[in-house]
Amino acid sequence: MKTRYNIFFLLWGLLLCGCDDFLDVKPKGKDIPEKIAHYDGLFNNTILTNLIFSKVNENGSITAQQSEIYFIYMTDELITDEASYANMGRSARAAYTYDPDIFLEEDYSAEWSAAYQQIYLYNVIANGVMDAEDGTTQKKKELLAEARVGRAFMHFYLTQFFCKPYQEATAVTDPGVPVVTKANSGETSFSRGTVKDVYDFVTKELEEACPDLPLQTQHRQRVYRAAGYFMLGKVYMAMGEYGKALKALGIAYEGTQNSSIILELFDYNQEIYNWGYTGAPNTWGMSCTYPINLSEDNNELIYNKQVSILPITLFLYPPQVYVKPEYMALYSKNDHRAKFFSDKDYTGVTQWPYSKRVCRYMFTVCGDLPDLYLMLAECKARTGDETGARADLLTLREKRMPAAEAAIPASVNSKEKLIRFVLEERTREFMMSGMRWFDIRRLWNDPLFQDDKKNYTHKVGEQTYTLTEDRLTYRIPPKVMSFNSGWVDNN
């Protein structure tokens, strides 16, 4: 019995489902795609969009089992009070206090299971599409490339929780996560390998597959050239390979210029984009019109692989976490992004002890224009192109505040200060979104950011909890460990 379910607890089940127009799959997963439309249709699946765990039931139906993602509780800009802390679930409290045991025996882990669910589906496509009964060779290669890019990035995504941050000197010995390239429910033996194994696989897959992606971006829910090279650039940045990242991100930027959909930064200076709290009653909350990621109106979105921060934001949920006052102070006087946060409810009455996000609750981990501009700026600054870095920064800042306020301060007068300013801008852009988690991990050993560690703390009343290096890596979920007895868990 244990061997039979080993693959289930790694991959959390078959996900060829919910797409009758393309593939009618029986619960046991015996059917396989045959035509190019079947493989193409498998990409049009919300399983590949949402980073949540979905349970496959005995009758083949799907139940969203775990929607909360806990890294959103672990970033340094957050604070809570005792009453709000008491409203959190057990695992959310554990993540917020940097407890090593986030998951209990009965818990599903969205960070682990969503990735392997998606990898399984990508493998079904990658392993079979070239043998489809019909379709051109070019179309088959495009779909193969999309599947390889997808599974590569999800392996990278896994490393951001279950592996130590990439360091060339230790990657060859640091434990990795299983690299899975077969859609084989009978496979029962998996090795964690090393961090180097995983990153070697990811970079090789992306380097080989990205050139075969379609050049023109046609839809935000599918991977085209811009999105593929965006992901490659993000991986190289996590490795500290800023020259290689810059090359990939440059191709990604060129890809955004060849699009059949609108790809452009929102200009928050325009009245139409007056989102968030404006100081008057009944002007935020449910009426916030920031376009969701699934909307074609989200012009900044290149590719949607979304995380929801609903559990920590909006008045629909109990107030749980807020932004530290010193982090809110990073916004200048007329930075419109500050309007996304407030300590007041929709009547204009102060309700919370600190500001919380009151507008926008979906973010993508792999593909929007603000992230692209900021990654380009950082890579250019690190590789000696300070002029280019400042230009990219200014392009973004002029869309977020009046032009007179957008100028980079004169005090930012060195390469090192410019790099730090880029990271400050990342914090302002992605405040309370969880995206800061990936920067904290990436910069943990960067000499420029060692002083920041004193701010990697959370408070509950008078108690302070400090993020340590061990807690950059989740422990493997107990359900997974119980079916892989040979593995050594993370510290």
Side-chain angles (χ1 to χ4, degrees):
M1 183 67 71
K2 195 168 187 177
T3 300
R4 176 186 172 190
Y5 286 107
N6 190 24
I7 184 72
F8 178 80
F9 283 98
L10 178 67
L11 302 180
W12 303 106
L14 288 168
L15 289 173
L16 304 181
C17 55
C19 199
D20 291 340
D21 288 343
F22 300 105
L23 186 63
D24 182 17
V25 176
K26 298 175 182 178
K28 292 185 178 181
K30 297 298 184 181
D31 293 345
I32 59 173
E34 297 176 346
K35 297 183 180 298
I36 202 71
H38 298 163
Y39 287 103
D40 196 12
L42 288 176
F43 285 108
N44 302 324
N45 192 324
T46 56
I47 291 292
L48 299 180
T49 298
N50 297 297
L51 291 167
I52 62 174
F53 166 56
S54 297
K55 182 181 179 181
V56 181
N57 302 311
E58 287 295 323
N59 64 1
S61 64
I62 296 294
T63 302
Q65 196 74 19
Q66 176 62 63
S67 60
E68 197 159 4
I69 299 176
Y70 294 109
F71 71 86
I72 63 177
Y73 290 96
M74 300 176 72
T75 55
D76 55 331
E77 75 269 35
L78 303 182
I79 192 170
T80 193
D81 59 3
E82 291 177 275
S84 298
Y85 178 74
N87 282 329
M88 296 184 197
R90 192 216 68 86
S91 292
R93 292 197 301 270
Y96 180 83
T97 58
Y98 305 122
D99 189 291
D101 293 312
I102 295 177
F103 307 108
L104 297 179
E105 293 288 340
E106 67 272 17
D107 289 342
Y108 296 100
S109 161
E111 284 91 339
W112 178 277
S113 58
Y116 279 115
Q117 282 184 330
Q118 293 192 22
I119 287 168
Y120 187 95
L121 187 50
Y122 286 129
N123 281 337
V124 169
I125 301 167
N127 294 344
V129 67
M130 295 306 293
D131 295 324
E133 294 176 353
D134 59 352
T136 65
T137 299
Q138 179 180 347
K139 182 62 175 180
K140 291 177 181 180
K141 289 176 66 177
E142 289 174 354
L143 296 179
L144 173 60
E146 187 172 358
R148 292 180 71 187
V149 167
R151 74 179 178 187
F153 191 82
M154 294 318 296
H155 280 93
F156 169 72
Y157 180 78
L158 282 158
T159 68
Q160 301 305 290
F161 311 108
F162 301 103
C163 299
K164 293 180 179 180
Y166 184 90
Q167 295 187 78
E168 186 175 2
T170 61
V172 70
T173 55
D174 289 337
V177 292
V179 173
V180 180
T181 59
K182 297 179 181 178
N184 181 3
S185 60
E187 190 171 354
T188 60
S189 179
F190 297 93
S191 168
R192 288 189 64 183
T194 67
V195 168
K196 186 177 188 304
D197 292 334
V198 183
Y199 275 84
D200 283 352
F201 168 77
V202 169
T203 53
K204 184 175 186 291
E205 283 285 281
L206 291 172
E207 289 280 11
E208 291 180 357
C210 282
D212 287 333
L213 292 169
L215 178 60
Q216 186 179 70
T217 300
Q218 300 178 25
H219 200 286
R220 305 184 200 282
Q221 312 304 323
R222 298 291 295 267
V223 177
Y224 299 92
R225 192 80 59 89
Y229 279 101
F230 178 104
M231 294 183 223
L232 180 59
K234 188 169 280 288
V235 172
Y236 277 135
M237 285 192 73
M239 300 174 69
E241 296 277 4
Y242 294 104
K244 291 181 179 179
L246 180 58
K247 180 180 178 181
L249 295 169
I251 300 173
Y253 177 79
E254 291 173 1
T256 65
Q257 306 305 294
N258 187 350
S259 175
S260 63
I261 59 175
I262 299 174
L263 286 177
E264 63 183 12
L265 291 169
F266 291 125
D267 187 350
Y268 291 0
N269 295 298
Q270 297 181 32
E271 186 68 23
I272 192 174
Y273 300 123
N274 195 8
W275 295 315
Y277 188 80
T278 62
N282 302 310
T283 56
W284 66 267
M286 289 297 288
S287 63
C288 177
T289 55
Y290 191 97
I292 63 173
N293 284 20
L294 293 175
S295 168
E296 280 302 303
D297 296 328
N298 192 333
N299 297 339
E300 293 187 344
L301 190 63
I302 302 170
Y303 172 60
N304 186 31
K305 185 79 73 174
Q306 67 187 24
V307 294
S308 169
I309 62 168
L310 272 174
I312 68 169
T313 189
L314 291 181
F315 63 86
L316 297 174
Y317 290 79
Q320 295 180 340
V321 292
Y322 315 90
V323 179
K324 294 175 181 175
E326 60 268 33
Y327 281 69
M328 283 301 301
L330 291 174
Y331 293 110
S332 57
K333 181 180 179 180
N334 296 301
D335 191 328
H336 299 296
R337 291 172 294 191
K339 295 176 183 176
F340 284 14
F341 306 88
S342 180
D343 60 357
K344 298 176 175 61
D345 65 14
Y346 67 93
T347 68
V349 175
T350 300
Q351 180 174 344
W352 305 306
Y354 310 99
S355 293
K356 64 181 296 187
R357 181 174 282 276
V358 297
C359 187
R360 190 184 181 192
Y361 56 90
M362 286 287 185
F363 292 83
T364 180
V365 298
C366 57
D368 66 19
L369 284 173
D371 200 1
L372 178 58
Y373 277 103
L374 289 166
M375 288 195 295
L376 281 167
E378 183 178 348
C379 289
K380 289 177 182 178
R382 287 182 180 272
T383 56
D385 182 9
E386 293 185 38
T387 300
R390 290 172 181 272
D392 289 331
L393 268 176
L394 196 60
T395 296
L396 175 63
R397 286 173 59 80
E398 287 181 338
K399 300 295 185 180
R400 299 306 193 240
M401 63 197 76
E405 197 167 294
I408 299 171
S411 59
V412 182
N413 54 13
S414 69
K415 173 182 177 179
E416 291 74 18
K417 290 180 180 179
L418 181 58
I419 294 170
R420 289 192 59 84
F421 190 79
V422 174
L423 267 297
E424 281 187 15
E425 198 65 42
R426 290 189 65 83
T427 301
R428 285 185 282 266
E429 185 67 26
F430 298 114
M431 189 81 77
M432 204 178 181
S433 69
M435 298 302 106
R436 173 79 175 143
W437 171 251
F438 305 105
D439 288 329
I440 289 174
R441 283 177 46 90
R442 174 170 66 89
L443 301 171
W444 187 265
N445 293 299
D446 190 313
L448 289 178
F449 295 92
Q450 294 307 296
D451 288 346
D452 288 10
K453 291 180 181 178
K454 66 179 181 292
N455 299 320
Y456 295 169
T457 60
H458 287 162
K459 294 194 71 173
V460 180
E462 297 300 314
Q463 182 68 46
T464 298
Y465 301 89
T466 301
L467 176 63
T468 62
E469 188 168 13
D470 282 348
R471 296 284 62 78
L472 297 177
T473 308
Y474 288 13
R475 287 180 175 170
I476 305 294
K479 280 191 175 183
V480 177
M481 287 297 296
S482 69
F483 287 88
N484 294 277
S485 58
W487 289 4
V488 176
D489 201 355
N490 298 324
N491 291 332

mmCIF file of all heavy atoms in Angstrom, residues 93-120:
data_model
loop_
_atom_site.group_PDB
_atom_site.id
_atom_site.type_symbol
_atom_site.label_atom_id
_atom_site.label_comp_id
_atom_site.label_asym_id
_atom_site.label_seq_id
_atom_site.Cartn_x
_atom_site.Cartn_y
_atom_site.Cartn_z
ATOM 1 N N ARG A 93 0.433 31.257 11.654
ATOM 2 C CA ARG A 93 1.173 31.731 12.833
ATOM 3 C C ARG A 93 2.586 31.162 12.841
ATOM 4 O O ARG A 93 3.553 31.858 13.170
ATOM 5 C CB ARG A 93 0.441 31.352 14.112
ATOM 6 C CG ARG A 93 -0.873 32.081 14.323
ATOM 7 C CD ARG A 93 -1.335 31.989 15.773
ATOM 8 N NE ARG A 93 -1.517 30.610 16.216
ATOM 9 C CZ ARG A 93 -2.646 29.927 16.113
ATOM 10 N NH1 ARG A 93 -3.712 30.507 15.557
ATOM 11 N NH2 ARG A 93 -2.734 28.693 16.550
ATOM 12 N N ALA A 94 2.715 29.889 12.470
ATOM 13 C CA ALA A 94 4.042 29.261 12.438
ATOM 14 C C ALA A 94 4.936 29.943 11.417
ATOM 15 O O ALA A 94 6.123 30.192 11.680
ATOM 16 C CB ALA A 94 3.909 27.774 12.134
ATOM 17 N N ALA A 95 4.398 30.252 10.248
ATOM 18 C CA ALA A 95 5.190 30.934 9.223
ATOM 19 C C ALA A 95 5.587 32.328 9.692
ATOM 20 O O ALA A 95 6.746 32.741 9.531
ATOM 21 C CB ALA A 95 4.407 31.014 7.916
ATOM 22 N N TYR A 96 4.661 33.050 10.279
ATOM 23 C CA TYR A 96 4.929 34.423 10.727
ATOM 24 C C TYR A 96 6.006 34.460 11.802
ATOM 25 O O TYR A 96 6.830 35.388 11.841
ATOM 26 C CB TYR A 96 3.640 35.061 11.250
ATOM 27 C CG TYR A 96 3.823 36.473 11.737
ATOM 28 C CD1 TYR A 96 3.809 37.545 10.854
ATOM 29 C CD2 TYR A 96 4.020 36.735 13.097
ATOM 30 C CE1 TYR A 96 4.001 38.847 11.304
ATOM 31 C CE2 TYR A 96 4.210 38.027 13.558
ATOM 32 C CZ TYR A 96 4.196 39.085 12.660
ATOM 33 O OH TYR A 96 4.396 40.370 13.104
ATOM 34 N N THR A 97 6.040 33.456 12.677
ATOM 35 C CA THR A 97 7.020 33.425 13.764
ATOM 36 C C THR A 97 8.261 32.613 13.411
ATOM 37 O O THR A 97 9.098 32.346 14.273
ATOM 38 C CB THR A 97 6.390 32.859 15.046
ATOM 39 O OG1 THR A 97 5.875 31.544 14.783
ATOM 40 C CG2 THR A 97 5.262 33.757 15.530
ATOM 41 N N TYR A 98 8.380 32.224 12.152
ATOM 42 C CA TYR A 98 9.542 31.469 11.661
ATOM 43 C C TYR A 98 9.733 30.157 12.410
ATOM 44 O O TYR A 98 10.861 29.720 12.671
ATOM 45 C CB TYR A 98 10.814 32.320 11.734
ATOM 46 C CG TYR A 98 10.691 33.639 11.011
ATOM 47 C CD1 TYR A 98 10.879 34.852 11.689
ATOM 48 C CD2 TYR A 98 10.376 33.698 9.661
ATOM 49 C CE1 TYR A 98 10.758 36.071 11.026
ATOM 50 C CE2 TYR A 98 10.254 34.914 9.002
ATOM 51 C CZ TYR A 98 10.434 36.084 9.691
ATOM 52 O OH TYR A 98 10.316 37.291 9.040
ATOM 53 N N ASP A 99 8.625 29.516 12.747
ATOM 54 C CA ASP A 99 8.676 28.205 13.368
ATOM 55 C C ASP A 99 9.115 27.194 12.317
ATOM 56 O O ASP A 99 8.674 27.258 11.167
ATOM 57 C CB ASP A 99 7.285 27.846 13.907
ATOM 58 C CG ASP A 99 7.298 26.593 14.764
ATOM 59 O OD1 ASP A 99 7.514 25.490 14.210
ATOM 60 O OD2 ASP A 99 7.089 26.702 15.977
ATOM 61 N N PRO A 100 9.963 26.235 12.661
ATOM 62 C CA PRO A 100 10.423 25.272 11.645
ATOM 63 C C PRO A 100 9.338 24.335 11.145
ATOM 64 O O PRO A 100 9.439 23.800 10.043
ATOM 65 C CB PRO A 100 11.525 24.494 12.373
ATOM 66 C CG PRO A 100 11.239 24.690 13.824
ATOM 67 C CD PRO A 100 10.657 26.059 13.951
ATOM 68 N N ASP A 101 8.292 24.126 11.929
ATOM 69 C CA ASP A 101 7.256 23.168 11.559
ATOM 70 C C ASP A 101 5.988 23.910 11.133
ATOM 71 O O ASP A 101 5.071 24.126 11.929
ATOM 72 C CB ASP A 101 6.962 22.221 12.727
ATOM 73 C CG ASP A 101 8.144 21.317 13.036
ATOM 74 O OD1 ASP A 101 8.692 20.726 12.086
ATOM 75 O OD2 ASP A 101 8.516 21.212 14.218
ATOM 76 N N ILE A 102 5.945 24.275 9.867
ATOM 77 C CA ILE A 102 4.770 24.956 9.336
ATOM 78 C C ILE A 102 3.638 23.963 9.099
ATOM 79 O O ILE A 102 2.474 24.244 9.372
ATOM 80 C CB ILE A 102 5.117 25.684 8.020
ATOM 81 C CG1 ILE A 102 6.137 26.808 8.286
ATOM 82 C CG2 ILE A 102 3.865 26.246 7.358
ATOM 83 C CD1 ILE A 102 6.587 27.522 7.040
ATOM 84 N N PHE A 103 3.982 22.761 8.624
ATOM 85 C CA PHE A 103 2.967 21.789 8.228
ATOM 86 C C PHE A 103 2.865 20.668 9.252
ATOM 87 O O PHE A 103 3.881 20.139 9.714
ATOM 88 C CB PHE A 103 3.312 21.199 6.854
ATOM 89 C CG PHE A 103 3.544 22.242 5.797
ATOM 90 C CD1 PHE A 103 4.821 22.493 5.312
ATOM 91 C CD2 PHE A 103 2.488 22.987 5.296
ATOM 92 C CE1 PHE A 103 5.036 23.457 4.346
ATOM 93 C CE2 PHE A 103 2.690 23.954 4.333
ATOM 94 C CZ PHE A 103 3.963 24.189 3.866
ATOM 95 N N LEU A 104 1.634 20.303 9.583
ATOM 96 C CA LEU A 104 1.381 19.157 10.441
ATOM 97 C C LEU A 104 1.196 17.903 9.596
ATOM 98 O O LEU A 104 1.149 17.963 8.362
ATOM 99 C CB LEU A 104 0.140 19.414 11.294
ATOM 100 C CG LEU A 104 0.221 20.594 12.270
ATOM 101 C CD1 LEU A 104 -1.090 20.735 13.025
ATOM 102 C CD2 LEU A 104 1.389 20.435 13.228
ATOM 103 N N GLU A 105 1.057 16.769 10.273
ATOM 104 C CA GLU A 105 0.947 15.486 9.583
ATOM 105 C C GLU A 105 -0.212 15.468 8.583
ATOM 106 O O GLU A 105 -0.115 14.874 7.514
ATOM 107 C CB GLU A 105 0.761 14.356 10.601
ATOM 108 C CG GLU A 105 1.970 14.103 11.485
ATOM 109 C CD GLU A 105 3.124 13.446 10.758
ATOM 110 O OE1 GLU A 105 2.863 12.849 9.681
ATOM 111 O OE2 GLU A 105 4.255 13.520 11.232
ATOM 112 N N GLU A 106 -1.312 16.126 8.953
ATOM 113 C CA GLU A 106 -2.504 16.058 8.102
ATOM 114 C C GLU A 106 -2.556 17.150 7.048
ATOM 115 O O GLU A 106 -3.476 17.195 6.233
ATOM 116 C CB GLU A 106 -3.768 16.133 8.974
ATOM 117 C CG GLU A 106 -3.975 17.469 9.677
ATOM 118 C CD GLU A 106 -3.290 17.554 11.035
ATOM 119 O OE1 GLU A 106 -2.386 16.722 11.296
ATOM 120 O OE2 GLU A 106 -3.660 18.439 11.821
ATOM 121 N N ASP A 107 -1.583 18.057 7.047
ATOM 122 C CA ASP A 107 -1.643 19.228 6.167
ATOM 123 C C ASP A 107 -1.170 18.915 4.752
ATOM 124 O O ASP A 107 -0.234 18.136 4.541
ATOM 125 C CB ASP A 107 -0.765 20.363 6.717
ATOM 126 C CG ASP A 107 -1.339 20.993 7.959
ATOM 127 O OD1 ASP A 107 -2.551 20.814 8.205
ATOM 128 O OD2 ASP A 107 -0.581 21.664 8.692
ATOM 129 N N TYR A 108 -1.829 19.569 3.790
ATOM 130 C CA TYR A 108 -1.326 19.623 2.430
ATOM 131 C C TYR A 108 -0.457 20.867 2.302
ATOM 132 O O TYR A 108 -0.715 21.888 2.926
ATOM 133 C CB TYR A 108 -2.471 19.681 1.430
ATOM 134 C CG TYR A 108 -3.344 18.463 1.420
ATOM 135 C CD1 TYR A 108 -4.565 18.453 2.083
ATOM 136 C CD2 TYR A 108 -2.938 17.309 0.751
ATOM 137 C CE1 TYR A 108 -5.372 17.320 2.078
ATOM 138 C CE2 TYR A 108 -3.741 16.175 0.745
ATOM 139 C CZ TYR A 108 -4.955 16.194 1.405
ATOM 140 O OH TYR A 108 -5.746 15.078 1.402
ATOM 141 N N SER A 109 0.550 20.806 1.475
ATOM 142 C CA SER A 109 1.441 21.944 1.259
ATOM 143 C C SER A 109 1.268 22.449 -0.158
ATOM 144 O O SER A 109 1.638 21.768 -1.117
ATOM 145 C CB SER A 109 2.901 21.529 1.482
ATOM 146 O OG SER A 109 3.776 22.460 0.868
ATOM 147 N N ALA A 110 0.698 23.644 -0.288
ATOM 148 C CA ALA A 110 0.522 24.206 -1.623
ATOM 149 C C ALA A 110 1.863 24.457 -2.289
ATOM 150 O O ALA A 110 2.015 24.274 -3.506
ATOM 151 C CB ALA A 110 -0.286 25.502 -1.541
ATOM 152 N N GLU A 111 2.858 24.895 -1.503
ATOM 153 C CA GLU A 111 4.162 25.191 -2.096
ATOM 154 C C GLU A 111 4.775 23.946 -2.747
ATOM 155 O O GLU A 111 5.438 24.048 -3.781
ATOM 156 C CB GLU A 111 5.124 25.744 -1.033
ATOM 157 C CG GLU A 111 4.873 27.178 -0.652
ATOM 158 C CD GLU A 111 3.916 27.341 0.512
ATOM 159 O OE1 GLU A 111 3.123 26.403 0.787
ATOM 160 O OE2 GLU A 111 3.921 28.390 1.161
ATOM 161 N N TRP A 112 4.578 22.783 -2.138
ATOM 162 C CA TRP A 112 5.125 21.540 -2.690
ATOM 163 C C TRP A 112 4.193 20.936 -3.747
ATOM 164 O O TRP A 112 4.594 20.662 -4.874
ATOM 165 C CB TRP A 112 5.355 20.527 -1.562
ATOM 166 C CG TRP A 112 5.878 19.195 -1.999
ATOM 167 C CD1 TRP A 112 5.157 18.146 -2.490
ATOM 168 C CD2 TRP A 112 7.251 18.781 -1.997
ATOM 169 N NE1 TRP A 112 5.991 17.090 -2.788
ATOM 170 C CE2 TRP A 112 7.280 17.452 -2.483
ATOM 171 C CE3 TRP A 112 8.443 19.373 -1.610
ATOM 172 C CZ2 TRP A 112 8.456 16.723 -2.602
ATOM 173 C CZ3 TRP A 112 9.630 18.651 -1.722
ATOM 174 C CH2 TRP A 112 9.630 17.354 -2.215
ATOM 175 N N SER A 113 2.950 20.742 -3.369
ATOM 176 C CA SER A 113 2.064 19.923 -4.186
ATOM 177 C C SER A 113 1.625 20.610 -5.467
ATOM 178 O O SER A 113 1.496 19.964 -6.508
ATOM 179 C CB SER A 113 0.833 19.522 -3.368
ATOM 180 O OG SER A 113 0.139 20.671 -2.904
ATOM 181 N N ALA A 114 1.378 21.925 -5.412
ATOM 182 C CA ALA A 114 0.972 22.617 -6.635
ATOM 183 C C ALA A 114 2.051 22.509 -7.703
ATOM 184 O O ALA A 114 1.752 22.343 -8.890
ATOM 185 C CB ALA A 114 0.663 24.081 -6.345
ATOM 186 N N ALA A 115 3.313 22.607 -7.274
ATOM 187 C CA ALA A 115 4.416 22.527 -8.235
ATOM 188 C C ALA A 115 4.460 21.160 -8.902
ATOM 189 O O ALA A 115 4.580 21.060 -10.131
ATOM 190 C CB ALA A 115 5.742 22.823 -7.530
ATOM 191 N N TYR A 116 4.367 20.084 -8.124
ATOM 192 C CA TYR A 116 4.462 18.752 -8.713
ATOM 193 C C TYR A 116 3.202 18.372 -9.485
ATOM 194 O O TYR A 116 3.267 17.599 -10.448
ATOM 195 C CB TYR A 116 4.805 17.711 -7.646
ATOM 196 C CG TYR A 116 6.290 17.684 -7.350
ATOM 197 C CD1 TYR A 116 6.789 18.038 -6.104
ATOM 198 C CD2 TYR A 116 7.202 17.339 -8.346
ATOM 199 C CE1 TYR A 116 8.149 18.029 -5.838
ATOM 200 C CE2 TYR A 116 8.567 17.323 -8.101
ATOM 201 C CZ TYR A 116 9.036 17.670 -6.847
ATOM 202 O OH TYR A 116 10.391 17.668 -6.602
ATOM 203 N N GLN A 117 2.060 18.907 -9.085
ATOM 204 C CA GLN A 117 0.873 18.716 -9.919
ATOM 205 C C GLN A 117 1.105 19.295 -11.313
ATOM 206 O O GLN A 117 0.803 18.666 -12.329
ATOM 207 C CB GLN A 117 -0.336 19.400 -9.274
ATOM 208 C CG GLN A 117 -0.946 18.636 -8.118
ATOM 209 C CD GLN A 117 -2.194 19.315 -7.597
ATOM 210 O OE1 GLN A 117 -2.336 20.535 -7.651
ATOM 211 N NE2 GLN A 117 -3.113 18.529 -7.070
ATOM 212 N N GLN A 118 1.614 20.499 -11.331
ATOM 213 C CA GLN A 118 1.843 21.148 -12.621
ATOM 214 C C GLN A 118 2.933 20.436 -13.411
ATOM 215 O O GLN A 118 2.820 20.266 -14.633
ATOM 216 C CB GLN A 118 2.204 22.610 -12.395
ATOM 217 C CG GLN A 118 1.054 23.424 -11.836
ATOM 218 C CD GLN A 118 1.309 24.916 -11.877
ATOM 219 O OE1 GLN A 118 2.125 25.405 -12.655
ATOM 220 N NE2 GLN A 118 0.597 25.664 -11.043
ATOM 221 N N ILE A 119 3.985 20.026 -12.734
ATOM 222 C CA ILE A 119 5.073 19.313 -13.413
ATOM 223 C C ILE A 119 4.545 18.036 -14.066
ATOM 224 O O ILE A 119 4.926 17.700 -15.202
ATOM 225 C CB ILE A 119 6.214 19.001 -12.423
ATOM 226 C CG1 ILE A 119 6.976 20.291 -12.079
ATOM 227 C CG2 ILE A 119 7.171 17.952 -12.997
ATOM 228 C CD1 ILE A 119 7.925 20.150 -10.908
ATOM 229 N N TYR A 120 3.647 17.315 -13.379
ATOM 230 C CA TYR A 120 3.088 16.107 -13.965
ATOM 231 C C TYR A 120 2.376 16.421 -15.277
ATOM 232 O O TYR A 120 2.569 15.740 -16.296
ATOM 233 C CB TYR A 120 2.125 15.430 -12.988
ATOM 234 C CG TYR A 120 1.649 14.079 -13.485
ATOM 235 C CD1 TYR A 120 2.293 12.919 -13.081
ATOM 236 C CD2 TYR A 120 0.598 13.969 -14.378
ATOM 237 C CE1 TYR A 120 1.890 11.673 -13.551
ATOM 238 C CE2 TYR A 120 0.186 12.736 -14.855
ATOM 239 C CZ TYR A 120 0.833 11.592 -14.441
ATOM 240 O OH TYR A 120 0.445 10.372 -14.919
#
